[in-house]
Amino acid sequence: VTIIDVFFDKSWGNFNLAMEIPMVSGNVGTAYGSTAKQDFDANAFIIETSYQINPRWKLGLNAGSVSGSDGDEGSQEALYLHPNYKIAEIMFNYNLAGFQDADENIFNASVVNTNYARLFAHYSSDAWSWRFDLIMATANEVAKSGSSFYDHDKAAYVTNAGADQDANLGMEFDAAFDYEWSPSIVVTGYVAHYQVGDYYAFTNSATPLSLGDVTATGFKLNIGF
């Protein structure tokens, strides 16, 4: 397997642009669930931008396109980004199937098979830092009724889709804060609301799942000496 990772980071005054383009090619055998040996041809395009309006406020737009794989077992095109790379508090942070299926791990999640955009506004004062984010995403590859497809969560090929799958992955609103109580004590927290997209209603049958929104909160006390 050959990995080429292009990275660029540049600032012009108060504007910053960062870009990364990982490209993976080679042979992966049957590691991705295929019964035949596969070629590997996957890539991603990731852009992060920000503009410092004043010492308090920063605005930005992050976007990316991460390849997914179709039902052709001759070539594997799904690129799974490192699990530590997060674009939201919930979206791609958890394997949603794991909340209903005991055989699934809720923490087995990576950014894959998506086009996404993240708008954000950050506010900072002497002790407080607030982050507000809006994230939207769609899938690159989806199942088509009667055709083979690749299940990116289970890393398995399915020979015959029972229905069409929607490409909408959903939309998420996040608000988070850091409060520096003292130089050695920092309090952090967040609240996130995820409007789950119809992509996750797909069950490979004529009966889709009934979806509901997901709301999550988190709180952490960091103490250093």
Side-chain angles (χ1 to χ4, degrees):
V1 172
T2 300
I3 300 175
I4 300 175
D5 197 355
V6 179
F7 179 77
F8 172 83
D9 191 352
K10 176 67 176 176
S11 295
W12 294 271
N14 293 330
F15 178 76
N16 181 258
L17 169 65
M19 178 176 62
E20 185 168 6
I21 308 174
M23 297 168 282
V24 185
S25 61
N27 302 305
V28 292
T30 58
Y32 283 79
S34 173
T35 56
K37 292 184 178 180
Q38 286 184 300
D39 294 328
F40 202 7
D41 185 14
N43 56 68
F45 301 88
I46 302 167
I47 296 176
E48 297 186 353
T49 67
S50 65
Y51 182 75
Q52 191 76 44
I53 297 177
N54 55 47
R56 301 284 191 189
W57 283 99
K58 178 192 290 187
L59 302 179
L61 170 64
N62 297 346
S65 179
V66 186
S67 62
S69 195
D70 57 21
D72 181 9
E73 295 192 37
S75 178
Q76 171 58 230
E77 291 123 5
L79 184 65
Y80 292 79
L81 300 188
H82 195 287
N84 286 344
Y85 185 75
K86 306 297 184 185
I87 65 172
E89 297 288 355
I90 304 174
M91 189 186 301
F92 293 113
N93 206 5
Y94 301 99
N95 176 8
L96 299 185
F99 290 98
Q100 301 184 85
D101 188 343
D103 295 329
E104 295 283 344
N105 183 349
I106 64 171
F107 298 108
N108 184 23
S110 297
V111 180
V112 63
N113 185 35
T114 184
N115 296 315
Y116 70 87
R118 172 175 170 249
L119 294 165
F120 67 84
H122 292 178
Y123 173 82
S124 299
S125 64
D126 294 337
W128 288 91
S129 176
W130 287 89
R131 303 179 301 279
F132 306 97
D133 304 275
L134 169 63
I135 306 98
M136 299 167 286
T138 60
N140 281 317
E141 299 290 345
V142 294
K144 299 294 184 183
S145 180
S147 300
S148 299
F149 68 96
Y150 183 71
D151 188 326
H152 293 82
D153 292 328
K154 297 182 178 180
Y157 286 91
V158 182
T159 57
N160 188 23
D164 289 335
Q165 185 177 27
D166 196 282
N168 180 26
L169 291 169
M171 180 167 57
E172 181 172 333
F173 305 89
D174 296 343
F177 72 88
D178 297 316
Y179 174 63
E180 187 176 341
W181 192 351
S182 71
S184 59
I185 301 176
V186 178
V187 180
T188 67
Y190 76 88
V191 58
H193 182 75
Y194 181 20
Q195 297 177 351
V196 181
D198 286 339
Y199 175 91
Y200 296 102
F202 178 76
T203 61
N204 197 26
S205 70
T207 304
L209 288 175
S210 178
L211 301 177
D213 294 351
V214 178
T215 300
T217 59
F219 182 82
K220 183 167 62 174
L221 181 64
N222 303 292
I223 302 177
F225 299 97

